[in-house]
Amino acid sequence: MDQLVNLVVAGKYKVIRLLGVGGMGEVYEAWHQDLERFVAIKVLRSGIKSSGEAEERFKREAKASAAIGHPNIIQVFDFGK
C-alpha cells in the first residue's frame, strides 16, 4: 500500500505518507513542489481493476467534489493519470 511513498507523482507531488484506504482509492499526504504546500492526493487502489468504468467513476467523483465550495470540504485542484 505504501508503494507511492517517496515518489513524485505527476511531476509535482512528492508523496509523504499513506493517510487512508477506502473502497476504490488510497489517500496520501503529499508536498506540492510548485506551490510549496501540503496536499492530499487520492489514487485508484492497486487492487482495483484498471478499467475505463473505474477511471470514469473516479473522474466523476473528482468533478463533483471540485464543484463544492465549503470551508469544511477539501478542495480539488487537479486530476489525471
Side-chain angles (χ1 to χ4, degrees):
M1 265 187 235
D2 292 335
Q3 68 224 20
L4 296 181
V5 173
N6 295 320
L7 294 179
V8 176
V9 176
K12 56 188 162 190
Y13 302 105
K14 168 87 169 160
V15 179
I16 307 298
R17 65 187 174 109
L18 179 68
L19 294 175
V21 178
M24 70 183 277
E26 298 169 346
V27 178
Y28 292 86
E29 177 183 13
W31 177 254
H32 191 300
Q33 295 178 328
D34 296 335
L35 299 179
E36 297 182 346
R37 67 177 180 177
F38 290 101
V39 298
I41 60 171
K42 183 176 181 181
V43 297
L44 283 174
R45 274 192 346 189
S46 57
I48 296 292
K49 180 180 171 187
S50 183
S51 68
E53 181 181 328
E55 290 175 14
E56 186 58 34
R57 184 173 158 200
F58 197 72
K59 184 177 178 180
R60 281 194 311 270
E61 178 183 313
K63 284 184 172 183
S65 297
I68 299 170
H70 190 278
N72 294 331
I73 298 175
I74 194 165
Q75 294 178 322
V76 175
F77 293 103
D78 193 10
F79 72 91
K81 283 188 173 188

